[in-house]
Amino acid sequence: LYNLKLIGIFLSFKPDVVITDLEPFSCYFAFIFGKKCISIDNQHIINTELKMKHTFLDRLIIRLMIIKADNYIVTTFFYPKVIRRNTELFPPINREEVIKAKIKKGDFILVYQTSKSDKKLIPELGLVDCKFVVYGFDKNKIIDNIRLKKFDEKEFIKDMSNCKAIICNGGFTLIGEAIYLKKPVLSVPVKKQFEQVRNAIYLERLGYGKYCKDVTKENVKKFISELGKYKKNLGKYKREDNHKIIQRLNE
């Protein structure tokens, strides 16, 4: 019924072109009704000559999500050689609030935790001589050197702009925003999530942060000891707003 409703909207709206961010149904409708399709996402980095190979399953899932597009606009913070026709690479799309944020050098590390079931995180951070602001546990509470915060977008962007570094998973959006704000990242990808692992590996290769499999006292201390190196490398990163990708869409 949901798909029938979408088809009804599609037919009544009569689009000239479909723009999708790895949402499959809009792409299918474009294919069925003969409309041009533009795909904007990070996952089609598989259309490039990566130094690390995707598994057959990874490629199959992405191909099933977007069966065919006339143009692939790929957002990325690393730039391998493009090997597929109609594929172009652009800097990450950042929120206006992030682009306009005033960057400060704080004395704390921002931690974004997506799993409330991680019982090891707080004890491990408690063993490190540093202040931490942690989002993801849906509570406001102070535990020694750790401040837990309920999620609030404005407050989160403020903390992201004011922190000295970030600990997060391997999600592209947050890593892209952290790099834009020139904040070193300790990336702990969701296990067996290839896209996140890939982002973390390239983050480390570029010298913008560290990739590790778990948040441990040792990993965090090692990360903190190398912040100077990461900040130096991030200092060379050329910050760009969204004008290039908007201009290309207009074209």
Side-chain angles (χ1 to χ4, degrees), residues 72-175:
Y72 297 91
I73 291 179
V74 182
T75 52
T76 180
F77 59 87
F78 54 93
Y79 294 86
K81 181 182 177 181
V82 172
I83 58 174
R84 180 166 179 168
R85 186 178 63 88
N86 293 343
T87 298
E88 300 170 79
L89 307 183
F90 288 86
I93 298 173
N94 292 311
R95 292 172 285 177
E96 283 298 312
E97 295 85 353
V98 173
I99 293 172
K100 294 177 180 178
K102 294 182 180 179
I103 303 173
K104 297 180 181 179
K105 297 180 180 179
D107 61 350
F108 66 94
I109 292 178
L110 173 65
V111 183
Y112 181 66
Q113 170 63 284
T114 56
S115 174
K116 296 179 184 179
S117 62
D118 188 350
K119 297 180 180 180
K120 296 181 180 179
L121 177 66
I122 301 303
E124 289 293 327
L125 294 180
L127 298 173
V128 180
D129 184 19
C130 182
K131 295 179 183 178
F132 297 94
V133 172
V134 181
Y135 286 85
F137 289 92
D138 196 30
K139 62 176 70 174
N140 292 315
K141 187 176 181 180
I142 295 177
I143 307 173
D144 298 325
N145 60 325
I146 302 164
R147 183 177 181 182
L148 303 177
K149 282 189 175 183
K150 288 186 177 181
F151 188 81
D152 175 271
E153 186 173 8
K154 288 184 178 180
E155 191 69 13
F156 182 78
I157 292 175
K158 180 181 177 181
D159 285 335
M160 187 163 55
S161 305
N162 294 343
C163 68
K164 65 179 181 180
I166 296 173
I167 298 175
C168 62
N169 57 28
F172 177 76
T173 299
L174 183 51
I175 289 180

Side-chain angles (χ1 to χ4, degrees), residues 196-212:
Q196 293 205 4
V197 173
R198 179 196 63 217
N199 291 336
I201 288 174
Y202 275 89
L203 173 85
E204 184 168 271
R205 285 180 178 177
L206 288 168
Y208 297 159
K210 182 177 176 59
Y211 159 46
C212 66

Side-chain angles (χ1 to χ4, degrees), residues 8-249:
I9 293 171
F10 193 93
L11 292 175
S12 63
F13 182 67
K14 297 178 181 179
D16 298 304
V17 62
V18 172
I19 301 175
T20 178
D21 60 345
L22 212 72
E23 194 288 309
F25 292 115
S26 53
C27 176
Y28 291 152
F29 296 157
F31 181 75
I32 292 169
F33 295 110
K35 301 296 183 181
K36 288 189 177 295
C37 179
I38 299 173
S39 176
I40 303 180
D41 58 67
N42 169 247
Q43 288 82 356
H44 275 98
I45 196 74
I46 64 169
N47 292 353
T48 66
E49 200 173 62
L50 287 168
K51 293 181 180 179
M52 55 184 297
K53 300 299 181 182
H54 289 67
T55 66
F56 172 77
L57 182 59
D58 295 315
R59 290 183 177 274
L60 177 62
I61 290 172
I62 294 172
R63 294 290 183 242
L64 288 175
M65 295 288 282
I66 304 296
I67 54 174
K68 180 182 179 297
D70 294 275
N71 294 85
Y72 297 91
I73 291 179
V74 182
T75 52
T76 180
F77 59 87
F78 54 93
Y79 294 86
K81 181 182 177 181
V82 172
I83 58 174
R84 180 166 179 168
R85 186 178 63 88
N86 293 343
T87 298
E88 300 170 79
L89 307 183
F90 288 86
I93 298 173
N94 292 311
R95 292 172 285 177
E96 283 298 312
E97 295 85 353
V98 173
I99 293 172
K100 294 177 180 178
K102 294 182 180 179
I103 303 173
K104 297 180 181 179
K105 297 180 180 179
D107 61 350
F108 66 94
I109 292 178
L110 173 65
V111 183
Y112 181 66
Q113 170 63 284
T114 56
S115 174
K116 296 179 184 179
S117 62
D118 188 350
K119 297 180 180 180
K120 296 181 180 179
L121 177 66
I122 301 303
E124 289 293 327
L125 294 180
L127 298 173
V128 180
D129 184 19
C130 182
K131 295 179 183 178
F132 297 94
V133 172
V134 181
Y135 286 85
F137 289 92
D138 196 30
K139 62 176 70 174
N140 292 315
K141 187 176 181 180
I142 295 177
I143 307 173
D144 298 325
N145 60 325
I146 302 164
R147 183 177 181 182
L148 303 177
K149 282 189 175 183
K150 288 186 177 181
F151 188 81
D152 175 271
E153 186 173 8
K154 288 184 178 180
E155 191 69 13
F156 182 78
I157 292 175
K158 180 181 177 181
D159 285 335
M160 187 163 55
S161 305
N162 294 343
C163 68
K164 65 179 181 180
I166 296 173
I167 298 175
C168 62
N169 57 28
F172 177 76
T173 299
L174 183 51
I175 289 180
E177 291 180 340
I179 292 173
Y180 181 84
L181 295 171
K182 301 196 174 187
K183 304 293 183 178
V185 177
L186 174 61
S187 179
V188 188
V190 174
K191 290 178 173 57
K192 298 183 180 180
Q193 220 290 359
F194 188 85
E195 178 198 349
Q196 293 205 4
V197 173
R198 179 196 63 217
N199 291 336
I201 288 174
Y202 275 89
L203 173 85
E204 184 168 271
R205 285 180 178 177
L206 288 168
Y208 297 159
K210 182 177 176 59
Y211 159 46
C212 66
K213 295 181 179 180
D214 297 288
V215 176
T216 63
K217 174 186 69 175
E218 291 76 17
N219 286 336
V220 175
K221 284 185 174 181
K222 177 69 173 175
F223 172 63
I224 292 174
S225 70
E226 297 177 335
L227 285 181
K229 176 181 69 176
Y230 302 139
K231 289 178 179 178
K232 184 178 179 181
N233 292 330
L234 284 165
K236 302 172 186 177
Y237 178 78
K238 183 181 178 182
R239 297 193 343 147
E240 297 187 66
D241 57 21
N242 302 322
H243 77 278
K244 284 186 178 179
I245 203 166
I246 293 172
Q247 181 181 7
R248 184 63 180 126
L249 281 172

